[in-house]
Amino acid sequence: MLHFSSFVKPLVLDGTAKSHELFLAYDHISLSKLEPPLVLQEFVNHGGVLFKVYVVGETFKVVRRFSLPDVEQSNNVGLVPLPRVSFTAASTVGAYLDPHVLDLPPFPLIEKLAGELRQRLGLLLFNIDIMREHGSGDNFYVIDINYFPEMGTFITSTAPWEFNC
């Protein structure tokens, strides 16, 4: 069962501006204002940070990125357009954030996840977007898997982790 508020994005990404329109929907009635097909994900407050895990063969690298800000859980209704935040300039390097938000996911979790996805999907090049539910301790969510990721960050960043798994 889907709970609101929900993150809404187009199912098909074709490079057009419309394919990158993102919304926060506070109720199911508001969804009728959008053109399907759509992907809906329950919005989870995550401290405004996500973790991008780049996997190349047996190697992976974890990079922190800014994400959407937390939202108040209230009785809001309607749709709120959201900015596009998933780009290289969204690095958290040098930013002041809650230290727990910045804690990287545990190495064994990433190692197992990367290995399982590599095996089950049969991919040697992909990335995973992961977020930690804010205030939960260590509740992590996989929010996206990209089988043809933008690799500039993987190549140029001095990421916290770079390990063989």
Side-chain angles (χ1 to χ4, degrees), residues 52-86:
K52 295 187 98 48
V53 180
Y54 295 91
V55 181
V56 179
E58 302 272 328
T59 301
F60 67 86
K61 182 183 276 194
V62 180
V63 180
R64 291 179 199 97
R65 286 282 177 253
F66 282 119
S67 181
L68 300 169
D70 288 350
V71 296
E72 283 188 42
Q73 299 302 323
S74 64
N75 293 328
N76 289 344
V77 294
L79 292 170
V80 176
L82 298 172
R84 185 172 177 204
V85 294
S86 182

Side-chain angles (χ1 to χ4, degrees), residues 131-149:
M131 64 183 188
R132 173 190 288 113
E133 185 175 4
H134 195 211
S136 72
D138 281 333
N139 270 352
F140 290 93
Y141 295 86
V142 173
I143 58 170
D144 203 4
I145 301 172
N146 300 292
Y147 62 91
F148 193 67

